[in-house]
Amino acid sequence: MANKKVSIDLDIEELLGLSEPKKNTLEYDLNFIIENGIEKYNQMQQEHENKKKEFMQLFRECFQEIIWEFQKDPRQQIAVNCAGCRYSNRVELGYGKATTKRTNNNGCE
């Protein structure tokens, strides 16, 4: 058996707590609230929620156009109308019976 050595690189700043906390962590949120106040934090969270709602609304409006672009893609990077992809998961859940293994020309099952 070969002796496997494990290399551990420790970041001294991280160990001492001198590095900035990563975004979307509790420590980051608490530091932001302490520095800027709860009103500014709530405003930031509300702006983020508004951006998410706007994105979802635009996505719903443009969904058919997005699907059309995926279908026109000559490389078929995203499968849109693949029968195997649509029905294979439902068979495992008991919504149908698997009779044969289907394959199509782009390699999906």
Side-chain angles (χ1 to χ4, degrees):
M1 262 175 90
N3 186 6
K4 296 183 179 179
K5 295 182 181 179
V6 177
S7 162
I8 299 175
D9 295 329
L10 300 176
D11 187 10
I12 294 175
E13 286 183 351
E14 187 176 321
L15 287 174
L16 297 175
L18 299 176
S19 62
E20 289 291 321
K22 294 179 179 143
K23 201 167 185 173
N24 296 331
T25 61
L26 179 62
E27 184 180 1
Y28 177 83
D29 290 344
L30 290 175
N31 286 338
F32 187 86
I33 291 171
I34 290 170
E35 292 174 6
N36 300 314
I38 191 74
E39 292 84 15
K40 180 86 171 170
Y41 177 76
N42 287 338
Q43 180 184 8
M44 183 181 71
Q45 291 295 323
Q46 188 63 37
E47 289 174 2
H48 180 71
E49 287 298 317
N50 290 340
K51 287 180 184 177
K52 279 177 41 178
K53 287 179 185 178
E54 181 183 359
F55 171 76
M56 289 304 295
Q57 181 183 9
L58 288 173
F59 185 78
R60 286 185 185 116
E61 288 175 12
C62 301
F63 184 74
Q64 292 300 324
E65 292 144 11
I66 292 169
I67 297 298
W68 176 252
E69 290 295 324
F70 287 152
Q71 288 174 343
K72 287 191 332 185
D73 184 17
R75 291 178 29 192
Q76 291 295 312
Q77 297 172 359
I78 298 175
V80 178
N81 287 328
C82 176
C85 295
R86 282 193 307 230
Y87 299 115
S88 65
N89 293 336
R90 291 184 177 94
V91 170
E92 295 171 357
L93 297 173
Y95 291 106
K97 294 181 181 177
T99 54
T100 60
K101 186 175 184 180
R102 299 182 204 159
T103 60
N104 60 14
N105 50 356
N106 65 359
C108 292
E109 294 180 3

